Structures are given as C-alpha cells and as structure tokens.
Amino acid sequence: MKKEKIQAPKGVSEYVPPASREFEWVRDGLITPARLAGYSLMELPVFEDTQLFTRGVGESTDVVSKEMYTFEDRGGRSITLRPEGTAGVMRAVIEHNLDRGQLPIKVWYSGAFFRAERPQAGRFRQFYQVGIEAIGIDDPAIDAEVIAIADQGFKSLGLKRYRLEITSLGDSASRAAHRIELDNFIATLDLDEATSARAKINPLRLFDDKREEMKKMMAKAPLLMDFLSQESRAQFAEVQEHLNRLGIAYVLNPHMVRGLDYYTGTTFEFIHEDLGAQSGIGGGGRYDGLMEQLGGQSLSGIGFGLGVDRALLAAQAEGVVPKDSFTSDLFVIPLGEKAKSEALLLAAQLRNRGHVVEIAFGERALKGAMKAADKSGSKYVVVLGDTELASGSVELKEMSSGVSKSVTISALHEALSTH
RNA sequence: GUGGACGUAGCUCAGCUGGUAGAGCACCCGGUUGUGGUCCGGGAUGUCGCGGGUUCGAGCCCCGUCGUUCACCCCA
C-alpha cells in the first residue's frame, strides 16, 4: 500500500535549493545595512504569551482579532505564534532590563512570522521578515536613519521600482482631536454595512478603500496631518529634511493606514510596483506608548519590518537576482576507496584555509563525477586516483577553459589562492 | 472569512466532440581503458492532486475534498 504523501501546511513559504540561495541573498542583503549601523541581533521565540499581542498590537486590529495562530499548550497557557516582531522585542527588552542600560537599544531580528490569512501571491501563513528596533531615544534623526537603513536594504538588492511613502500620525492628542472630526465627517456619509463596521473599528481605514466612489467621498475628509501638534509637525519636518539630505526619495501619503495600533508619529511604508495586490514590501514607524503599554518604562521607539518573501518576488520581477551566486572553488573527484579517504583529508585542509571544496561521493563513473563538478559551478577540479596518490601531485583543471596543469598536493592551496 | 480560475512525468506544458497518456527540458546509462559543458544512441518515470458519482468506458462531464492562483478584507 502506498503511503499518502504528507504536504506542507497550507500557505507556508518554503525555500529549497537551488532557489533558497536567492532567499538567502535577499534576507542577508536586507539586514546588512542594519548590522553596518551597529544594530545587534535579538533571537526571540516564535511563540509568545497571547496577551503580548492582544495588549501590544491591539485587540481591534485584524491581525489580532482574526489572523493569529493561537492555541493552548499543555499547561493550559494561551500561546500565539508571533504575527509581527516588535511586540516580542519590547517584551524581551523589558524582561532583560535592557531599558536600564545604554540608550538607544538597537537590535535586529530575522525569522518566521505567522498569520492565519487566506494565502495568495506574496501573502503566506508563515512568512519571513527582517526588522530592526531603535528604542529609548526620541529624535527625528533616528527616524531618518531607520528609514534610510530599510531603504538601503532594498537598494542593495538593486530594487528600483518601489516607492517610500511617509506620514506622521502625531501624538495622542493630535490623533484624538482628528478622530472626533473624522467620526463626525464619516457620520455624514452613506455607507454600506461592512464599510461602516470598518469605520467603527478604525475610521482611518476608509482612507485606504480601493473603490473609486469611496475615494471620492473621502477626498474631503479631514486629514490627520492637519491636526498635528506644533511639536509633531516640527519633528516630522525634521525627518523629511534628513531624508532630503540623504537623497532618499519619498512621497507624503496623508492617507496611510497601518494595521497595527501602536504606531505614532513618523510612519512609513515601502511599496513595490510589480507585486499586484500584496504590494507592501516593508513598513514601520514610531511607537511611543508601546513599551509602557507592555509594563515597561515609558520609552519611545521606532522600527521596521521588511518582508523577505515579497522582496524576493520584487527582485525576481525586476530581474535583479544574481545568477550563480554560489560556486565552489574546487571539486575533488576521488577514484577508489583509498583516494576517497585522501580526498576527505585534502578537502578538510583546504576548507580550513577558507576554500569552498566539494567532493564527488558514491560510485559514479568519472564522467558522471565530472558532470557533477560542472553543475556545482566549481572553478577547478582535481581527480585523485592511484597515479596521483603515488606521485603526490595532481592535475588541477580549470573548468572554464578546460586547461589543466600539474601541481603538488601541498601546493594546491597556493594554486587556488592565486587564481 | 467571501468570490473567480486552475491542479497531467522532477520542471514547463500538450492531450481533438469522453475510448484506459505524450513533447521539450532535466535525470540515468553508453559512444573502448581516468575527465564536464556540444553532439549521437539508449533508458526509467506518472494509480492524469485525492475521494465519490454519471457512463459500456473519464485525464477530459458532475459533486466533494486538499492544494495552488487572482481579487476582496487585510498586510510583510
């Protein structure tokens, strides 16, 4: 009887060779700018106490109300697979008392996140993000740096067809004043049931409606931008000045709506043009009350999350993914058991000196092994047979030209290095 | 969660108005003794996503299910 094939759960993104090289390239490229800016790794659990997200992200958000993977563990605790990264970082900062040390706390993370959504292109139930958080200093210059780091991540991949949108959500007083006006305005509109339900949860959502008639209706709605306090306004202006100076292109989007409740002040999104409906490749912003909300000190923070899966799709759409990003330096083909043992030793020695060395395993014919060497992208091949073992010198074959020359085994390292 | 489309060898796909499956690429072997990328010859592979139904007979029709995909909601 044939066993049923077990499949991956619905909607997960997974990467296997050779395509996984592309994923690796994107993920590393996105996070490198943060490391260059002195951010340190924070490796956190993928599951947390459910309350962390209900309290931190906000119960009214879609993410919390209908997209969380929540279950009970054996001890009866309510556990949730993390739907985003910031709340977990806050929890860890508080738990490890990092907020009592040097500020700002600057950390980066990379890993899997989970949302129980209906999957589609660019949207998965398990997906990958890299992100950073800068906590404890409220300075427009940090806002600009955080945005610049994200932008640099995308730029380093060679992406061009994306735009950065920014806005300011102001302080809580600004938002409260605006909310009253906006609610009043919305009350004058004739909305269908679903839409007015959305408006009750978060009236800002209506700004994001894709229907033309809604856009028309909302055109005259009061903008949060116009309700910003003097201070918020000044800070946001400063952020923009910094971005201008850095030569980072952006567009102001006073209609921007983010899905997480904790954002305040400077808020931004990166949108790619070739991705269809799921066009956001990254986003973030300032979150002034979050830390306190989670039981920590009253420290402000700012951060971003970048979608690795989507950035990869964007890179593929733009055709900027490098080919053959991985090649070996040397492919050793042993002939016979004695040679195999010798090949293991030789490979180990060369690897110790930093060379990427592969070995042909199994009992395939030399011809087959050569084919394998060819496909590995190895620059050189060495055949290790009785002749070589006896003489102590090998034929070092350059694959691109087909030319080979004789070198002693001990001189292999040097020969590889000089090429 | 709502609506539409799709699901055939590892990959990309073909399969006429229903008569029990094919191509290209990839893969494996060989083209004389230990040398790849080209060329030539040969070869394996699918219970046509899964389950049920209609039919003398289904990859082609119907239903369900799983998965994928596109849009909505929302978001990375």
Side-chain angles (χ1 to χ4, degrees):
Chain A
M1 198 173 101
K2 202 167 182 178
K3 282 179 189 144
E4 227 175 277
K5 243 195 274 181
I6 297 172
Q7 305 178 296
K10 185 187 181 85
V12 301
S13 70
E14 55 184 358
Y15 301 90
V16 300
S20 52
R21 299 244 181 252
E22 300 183 356
F23 175 85
E24 201 179 355
W25 170 76
V26 170
R27 190 240 276 134
D28 294 349
L30 287 179
I31 205 58
T32 296
R35 307 182 67 176
L36 294 176
Y39 285 71
S40 306
L41 174 65
M42 196 169 249
E43 194 68 67
L44 299 175
V46 297
F47 59 90
E48 296 270 6
D49 188 322
T50 299
Q51 277 191 54
L52 174 63
F53 303 114
T54 53
R55 264 209 272 161
V57 176
E59 265 179 289
S60 70
T61 62
D62 280 20
V63 167
V64 168
S65 65
K66 54 181 213 187
E67 294 170 3
M68 292 206 303
Y69 275 104
T70 299
F71 58 93
E72 206 171 88
D73 73 4
R74 294 188 187 199
R77 290 168 281 255
S78 180
I79 298 293
T80 293
L81 299 182
R82 60 183 183 186
E84 60 93 54
T86 304
V89 171
M90 291 304 116
R91 191 227 83 218
V93 164
I94 296 165
E95 192 163 332
H96 297 279
N97 297 316
L98 299 185
D99 51 342
R100 287 152 198 273
Q102 181 72 34
L103 299 178
I105 301 146
K106 299 193 299 181
V107 297
W108 66 271
Y109 60 82
S110 166
F113 295 85
F114 309 84
R115 288 183 203 173
E117 301 180 275
R118 182 95 166 241
Q120 69 185 72
R123 181 209 281 170
F124 307 97
R125 292 185 167 180
Q126 172 171 336
F127 57 99
Y128 295 88
Q129 278 190 10
V130 299
I132 71 171
E133 312 292 347
I135 303 151
I137 299 246
D138 190 1
D139 179 348
I142 287 198
D143 295 22
E145 181 178 84
V146 166
I147 292 172
I149 287 169
D151 187 61
Q152 181 53 36
F154 293 127
K155 277 202 183 109
S156 74
L157 300 181
L159 294 181
K160 291 196 165 59
R161 299 175 55 75
Y162 70 91
R163 66 178 184 277
L164 163 62
E165 295 186 350
I166 64 171
T167 192
S168 173
L169 300 182
D171 50 38
S172 56
S174 310
R175 284 195 301 284
H178 171 251
R179 173 85 184 240
I180 291 167
E181 288 298 310
L182 185 58
D183 282 339
N184 288 341
F185 173 82
I186 288 172
T188 69
L189 301 177
D190 182 28
L191 301 175
D192 59 86
E193 217 172 297
T195 310
S196 61
R198 282 205 288 144
K200 283 206 183 81
I201 294 166
N202 183 356
L204 292 172
R205 289 269 174 79
L206 300 198
F207 281 117
D208 224 18
D209 203 299
K210 285 165 188 167
R211 292 170 297 184
E212 276 311 312
E213 69 262 34
M214 275 306 298
K215 284 184 182 166
K216 239 175 238 168
M217 277 197 250
M218 293 302 289
K220 286 180 189 151
L223 292 175
L224 175 52
M225 282 280 216
D226 298 326
F227 286 76
L228 294 188
S229 65
Q230 203 62 39
E231 197 190 352
S232 293
R233 200 179 296 268
Q235 286 188 334
F236 190 48
E238 209 177 312
V239 173
Q240 291 177 63
E241 278 170 36
H242 289 310
L243 292 177
N244 292 339
R245 181 90 206 284
L246 286 167
I248 293 172
Y250 59 88
V251 293
L252 291 177
N253 177 4
H255 295 164
M256 189 192 300
V257 185
R258 304 241 68 220
L260 313 178
D261 275 354
Y262 52 64
Y263 286 117
T264 62
T266 306
T267 308
F268 55 94
E269 278 179 357
F270 290 87
I271 305 195
H272 199 273
E273 293 166 32
D274 302 336
L275 293 189
Q278 312 306 322
S279 57
I281 52 176
R286 187 159 275 289
Y287 40 84
D288 284 343
L290 181 57
M291 184 99 125
E292 197 171 12
Q293 181 80 20
L294 292 172
Q297 298 188 57
S298 176
L299 293 181
S300 73
I302 180 167
F304 63 64
L306 310 182
V308 181
D309 311 271
R310 288 188 187 173
L312 173 55
L313 290 172
Q316 287 165 341
E318 288 203 45
V320 296
V321 180
K323 302 280 172 229
D324 303 316
S325 55
F326 177 88
T327 55
S328 304
D329 297 324
L330 178 66
F331 202 95
V332 182
I333 302 176
L335 299 174
E337 285 312 307
K338 212 199 291 174
K340 207 170 268 183
S341 179
E342 205 56 41
L344 288 168
L345 181 62
L346 175 63
Q349 289 167 344
L350 291 171
R351 287 171 192 150
N352 277 341
R353 295 169 175 240
H355 299 294
V356 181
V357 182
E358 294 187 73
I359 298 174
F361 292 109
E363 301 301 328
R364 10 174 38 166
L366 176 57
K367 186 168 181 167
M370 280 301 294
K371 264 190 164 174
D374 187 38
K375 293 199 179 96
S376 78
S378 241
K379 294 184 201 66
Y380 293 96
V381 165
V382 156
V383 177
L384 211 54
D386 293 338
T387 330
E388 288 77 10
L389 290 179
S391 68
S393 69
V394 297
E395 188 184 285
L396 183 67
K397 177 167 181 174
E398 186 181 48
M399 292 301 270
S400 59
S401 63
V403 175
S404 55
K405 66 176 186 178
S406 181
V407 297
T408 63
I409 291 179
S410 54
L412 256 182
H413 164 64
E414 202 181 333
L416 288 176
S417 302
T418 54
H419 285 84

